[in-house]
């Protein structure tokens, strides 16, 4: 007879990356990337492809959530520059005369 009993992760203060992602409204891959980048410390349970990462909720919450932003940059800023006259600089080589009189 052994004295080993199973303790729920919530009692230990750990949660899986999937639980952390659901709580934060992100994908599990994002939380796993934070662990892989070293921004969130984790405990690894298992090995290889079956490995699970357990993280503390306070460690995951300490990393700020970044938005993706506009794809390809801010299209409104580009439009504003293009529509504003005089914003595009025309460079001429010094000493070079124009062919048109």
């Amino acid at each position: 007879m052994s004295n080993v009993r199973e303790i729920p992760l919530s009692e230990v203060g750990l949660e899986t990356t999937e639980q952390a992602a659901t709580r934060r409204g992100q994908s599990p891959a994002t939380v796993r990337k934070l662990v892989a980048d070293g921004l969130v410390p984790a405990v690894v349970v298992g090995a290889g492809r079956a490995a699970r990462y357990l993280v503390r909720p306070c460690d995951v919450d300490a990393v700020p959530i970044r938005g993706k932003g506009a794809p390809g940059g801010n299209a409104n800023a580009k439009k504003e520059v293009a529509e504003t006259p005089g914003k595009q600089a025309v460079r001429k080589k010094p000493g070079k005369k124009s062919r048109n009189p």
Side-chain angles (χ1 to χ4, degrees):
M1 182 191 231
S2 67
N3 291 334
V4 178
R5 68 180 181 97
E6 212 171 292
I7 300 174
L9 292 177
S10 59
E11 285 186 25
V12 181
L14 298 175
E15 61 186 8
T16 63
T17 54
E18 289 78 16
Q19 291 169 336
T22 302
R23 188 174 45 79
R24 283 190 72 165
Q26 295 179 319
S27 72
T30 302
V31 178
R32 283 192 298 270
K33 182 166 176 17
L34 294 174
V35 170
D37 291 346
L39 297 173
V40 175
V43 175
V44 182
V45 177
R49 294 179 62 114
R52 289 184 2 179
Y53 295 100
L54 303 177
V55 294
R56 292 188 314 179
C58 60
D59 290 334
V60 177
D61 293 340
V63 179
I65 297 175
R66 292 186 331 176
K68 288 185 179 180
N74 189 346
N76 293 330
K78 291 178 185 176
K79 188 187 300 183
E80 181 182 322
V81 171
E83 291 176 358
T84 306
K87 285 285 185 177
Q88 296 177 355
V90 178
R91 295 184 181 200
K92 294 182 181 179
K93 294 182 180 178
K96 192 100 170 175
K97 293 186 178 180
S98 173
R99 297 179 97 173
N100 296 332

